[in-house]
Amino acid sequence: MIQLYHVHKRFPNGCDALSDVTLRVREGEFVFLTGPSGAGKSTLLKLLLVMERVTDGQILIGGRNIHVLRDASVPFLRRNIGVVFQDFRLVPRRTVFDNVAISLEIMGLGRKEIERRVNQLLEGLRLVHRAQAYPGDLSGGEQQRVAIARALVNEPAILLADEPTGNLDPDLANDIMNLLLDVNRRGTTVVVATHDVALLERHGLRTLVLSRGSLVEDRPRVVRPNERLSQPIPIQALRAADPLAGRSTQPLSRDTAGEEP
Amino acid sequence: MRHGPRPEYVVRQAAQLVRGSPWLTGVSALTIALALTLVGLFAMILFNAGKMMHELGQSLTLSVYVQDATTPAELAALDKQVRAHEGVKSVTMLTREMDRERNRKLLDPELLKGLDEAALPGQPVLEVEIDADLASRGDVQELVEWTRSVKGVQSVEDVEFGAEKLRLLFAIVEIARTVGLVLSIVLLSSAMFFVFSTIRLAVFSRRDEIEILSLVGATPGFIRLPFLVEGALQGLAGALVAMLLLGLLHLELRSLVRDVYMLNATWSLLPPGMILWLILGGPAVGLAASAMSVGRYLKV
Ligand SMILES: Nc1ncnc2c1ncn2[C@@H]1O[C@H](COP(=O)(O)OP(=O)(O)OP(=O)(O)O)[C@@H](O)[C@H]1O
Ligand SMILES: [Mg+2]
């Protein structure tokens, strides 16, 4: 799903944020991206989103080389990639509902379809009662969930999250993690950048370690079956409401985005 | 799946932009209104002056009465001489009989009953049509003097009143054309500048929003459309206000023409085609200005 070959990124100021990074994330995988501050985690995510272009090397997403992508095609690539930014990046002037709806508005869906999908997701995330609130009036955890809702509402093939548990209390962080795992279980490829060591250890998922721009370790997943099921799952409502819940092991194809189930 | 944004979404976002800076938006719309009112006013003046000139121009003929004794050969020579003079558009030569016939037609048939045909006035005459250009330059009097001095001419019928009116109209048209053009350009460009600035500020105040939209996969067109619509809406609001002002100005000018200048002419508003152009002109100007602003400041 995501392939990097000898990727090099040098910023105009001469800073080498990434050097010779080669890695591969398979469809449906859940991967942590970690490393000390300044290691290049955010830069890697930015390259995947084409917020920045590589200096050297190749990046393939879904088999397509995004290095040669024309500017006009970038928006369509981004529709297949949901992003949760560390600072949420919600639009302060739009309500929770409208923030989540953005991902569907840009696809030109009809009002009914947008309402149906957004409300369903907000319900699953226990945000329905805040639908008409503005981001400024929400708690950090609520904002985080709105950001995740916006990233997920158009059912992207890939979900990128930059420090999604950043400055949240442990309970809330756990909730968010479970939500991401759940999304992954339904087929979405998930990449989470974090330096929350406890989080990494608790889940034992595949972990890519960056250090000063180089990939220094690729820790494979530790299989610990049934562990997650013992944890509280606030997202069950989401699964129940989700039309795709029944196909939880099927990978989300980009072609299904926007279609009626 | 449909493509392109929902119209309702675009209008809602554009309205949101208006709400973001109501005063600036209002001023932009007002400058457009002012500019369009001016354009409309000058168009109205030119249109009506043209109409009046057409009406008056038909009566701008000099009747040059020639002495009775003049022979047809002398009359023909006279005709040639007048025809050659500057400012003369055409000359129609009428013999005594033709003039009499013409007079007869002009009279009420009731009056003609039992009247001796020979008693009707009749005189050889040259109907001299004057160039409208000459009238505008105010040289009609000169032409009249010259004609009077020509040997064999008995009298020249005064056309000064018609020429005077025409001269006034020409003066109005000339002033309206230059002043109108200059003022319209000045006002339209400042109106565009206001819209341009309003949209620029709207773009700046929504930098974060624009970036977010782009990051979640909005196309540049999708991001720009609300800003363009906001510009067009400012223009439309301006056009509607301009229509109102023009309507009032029309009534004012109509009574001015009728009561003050005593011109026996009807003052009309604009032809429907021109009104349509003015109404469309507002959104077009707003759209053009916001397109310039968006093209320059909204980078995605
Ligand atoms: N736009 C930029 N211009 C110049 N240098 C940059 C730019 N963005 C990032 N860098 C540099 O690239 C390096 C990697 O930054 P990056 O943000 O990817 O680190 P990170 O791993 O996400 O760190 P953190 O954990 O603190 O978020 C840093 O040294 C940073 O200063
Ligand atoms: Mg970072």
Side-chain angles (χ1 to χ4, degrees):
Chain A
M1 182 56 85
I2 301 170
Q3 289 159 278
L4 275 73
Y5 293 109
H6 308 290
V7 168
H8 191 106
K9 177 64 190 179
R10 170 176 288 176
F11 284 105
N13 64 358
C15 171
D16 288 301
L18 290 173
S19 33
D20 198 26
V21 174
T22 297
L23 61 86
R24 177 174 179 172
V25 176
R26 265 180 292 278
E27 187 161 346
E29 239 185 319
F30 192 116
V31 177
F32 280 121
L33 194 60
T34 190
S37 187
K41 304 183 291 292
S42 298
T43 304
L44 181 57
L45 298 186
K46 280 180 187 165
L47 288 177
L48 295 178
L49 261 188
V50 204
M51 288 165 77
E52 298 284 352
R53 297 263 188 181
V54 295
T55 313
D56 202 7
Q58 311 281 324
I59 298 180
L60 271 66
I61 294 181
R64 274 160 76 201
N65 189 336
I66 63 171
H67 187 51
V68 296
L69 212 58
R70 286 178 303 118
D71 281 347
S73 305
V74 170
F76 301 97
L77 171 77
R78 287 177 178 165
R79 290 177 193 185
N80 287 309
I81 307 177
V83 205
V84 183
F85 295 96
Q86 182 166 10
D87 53 356
F88 314 137
R89 302 238 188 154
L90 300 176
V91 180
R93 284 181 203 83
R94 300 196 195 182
T95 61
V96 166
F97 183 97
D98 287 338
N99 264 281
V100 177
I102 290 174
S103 301
L104 300 176
E105 295 281 8
I106 59 173
M107 288 165 55
L109 295 195
R111 189 173 59 89
K112 286 246 166 61
E113 176 73 2
I114 290 177
E115 276 176 6
R116 190 180 67 76
R117 290 224 222 165
V118 173
N119 283 328
Q120 195 176 66
L121 195 53
L122 289 180
E123 217 165 279
L125 291 168
R126 296 171 303 171
L127 280 169
V128 166
H129 64 294
R130 307 297 271 149
Q132 295 311 314
Y134 288 87
D137 302 330
L138 300 180
S139 73
E142 284 170 328
Q143 290 185 35
Q144 181 76 278
R145 279 180 283 154
V146 175
I148 290 173
R150 188 182 63 197
L152 290 178
V153 72
N154 65 342
E155 297 169 2
I158 298 171
L159 179 69
L160 306 179
D162 200 351
E163 306 283 0
T165 56
N167 28 35
L168 300 181
D169 68 60
D171 271 0
L172 221 47
N174 207 32
D175 275 7
I176 299 291
M177 247 330 276
N178 283 327
L179 172 60
L180 295 178
L181 285 168
D182 211 81
V183 166
N184 173 246
R185 218 179 320 284
R186 283 178 295 125
T188 305
T189 308
V190 179
V191 178
V192 176
T194 184
H195 42 217
D196 184 345
V197 181
L199 192 74
L200 300 174
E201 288 180 346
R202 178 148 17 100
H203 293 281
L205 292 160
R206 181 179 171 201
T207 306
L208 300 166
V209 185
L210 283 173
S211 177
R212 287 201 221 137
S214 298
L215 185 64
V216 294
E217 203 185 337
D218 186 345
R219 241 181 276 153
R221 175 180 181 176
V222 181
V223 184
R224 274 182 283 176
N226 299 332
E227 191 213 28
R228 202 193 64 82
L229 292 178
S230 65
Q231 294 170 350
I233 307 170
I235 312 309
Q236 268 167 344
L238 164 69
R239 299 189 64 191
D242 195 302
L244 289 166
R247 320 193 316 211
S248 60
T249 53
Q250 308 270 296
L252 266 186
S253 154
R254 63 196 57 206
D255 299 331
T256 60
E259 280 174 14
E260 291 283 341
Chain B
M1 198 208 287
R2 288 194 306 117
H3 290 281
R6 291 186 302 127
E8 187 205 321
Y9 168 87
V10 176
V11 171
R12 205 153 53 104
Q13 293 308 319
Q16 201 75 53
L17 289 175
V18 173
R19 236 173 296 154
S21 54
W23 285 105
L24 213 54
T25 305
V27 170
S28 288
L30 269 183
T31 52
I32 289 189
L34 221 62
L36 286 180
T37 305
L38 215 78
V39 172
L41 175 64
F42 286 111
M44 184 156 69
I45 289 172
L46 289 174
F47 171 68
N48 279 288
K51 213 158 57 86
M52 278 189 216
M53 276 198 292
H54 184 73
E55 283 162 16
L56 290 173
Q58 288 169 345
S59 63
L60 205 74
T61 10
L62 222 57
S63 296
V64 178
Y65 291 95
V66 183
Q67 284 162 2
D68 272 349
T70 316
T71 64
E74 282 169 336
L75 191 62
L78 208 59
D79 173 299
K80 221 174 146 191
Q81 192 185 355
V82 171
R83 203 182 284 271
H85 194 269
E86 192 206 350
V88 173
K89 204 160 140 198
S90 70
V91 178
T92 314
M93 191 173 71
L94 296 174
T95 59
R96 181 206 310 267
E97 286 68 32
M98 286 157 85
D99 186 42
R100 182 172 289 155
E101 176 63 15
R102 191 179 59 163
N103 287 338
R104 193 177 64 82
K105 277 185 187 145
L106 284 175
L107 287 175
D108 188 345
E110 284 292 313
L111 282 173
L112 285 170
K113 272 183 195 149
L115 205 72
D116 184 4
E117 280 278 317
L120 273 173
Q123 196 173 4
V125 63
L126 296 175
E127 295 291 351
V128 180
E129 211 187 320
I130 300 175
D131 237 352
D133 261 1
L134 185 80
S136 73
R137 294 204 307 269
D139 294 346
V140 176
Q141 202 48 46
E142 230 169 87
L143 180 68
V144 172
E145 295 303 333
W146 173 81
T147 321
R148 279 209 179 101
S149 70
V150 173
K151 189 169 168 289
V153 170
Q154 192 179 56
S155 66
V156 176
E157 194 170 274
D158 203 39
V159 292
E160 196 48 25
F161 183 61
E164 204 53 57
K165 275 201 277 192
L166 211 63
R167 197 151 66 215
L168 177 72
L169 279 173
F170 262 101
I172 290 173
V173 167
E174 270 319 299
I175 293 169
R177 200 167 274 150
T178 35
V179 173
L181 197 70
V182 171
L183 271 182
S184 299
I185 289 173
V186 168
L187 268 163
L188 274 176
S189 3
S190 51
M192 284 182 81
F193 177 76
F194 268 97
V195 177
F196 181 88
S197 308
T198 309
I199 300 296
R200 184 188 56 191
L201 284 178
V203 168
F204 283 165
S205 74
R206 268 144 228 259
R207 282 240 152 119
D208 51 345
E209 193 169 325
I210 288 164
E211 201 199 344
I212 291 165
L213 283 169
S214 166
L215 286 178
V216 300
T219 55
F222 180 93
I223 297 172
R224 288 182 173 139
L225 205 53
F227 293 94
L228 299 180
V229 169
E230 197 212 343
L233 282 178
Q234 287 175 15
L236 183 65
L240 295 179
V241 172
M243 284 306 120
L244 193 75
L245 290 177
L246 269 181
L248 296 175
L249 275 170
H250 157 66
L251 295 179
E252 198 56 41
L253 281 171
R254 191 172 60 175
S255 57
L256 196 74
V257 162
R258 208 179 33 207
D259 305 338
V260 180
Y261 290 105
M262 304 277 191
L263 289 174
N264 187 21
T266 48
W267 182 271
S268 359
L269 197 65
L270 290 165
M274 275 202 215
I275 291 180
L276 191 69
W277 275 116
L278 277 177
I279 291 182
L280 291 178
V285 166
L287 194 65
S290 56
M292 281 193 267
S293 197
V294 160
R296 178 137 177 213
Y297 299 109
L298 204 166
K299 305 281 183 225
V300 283

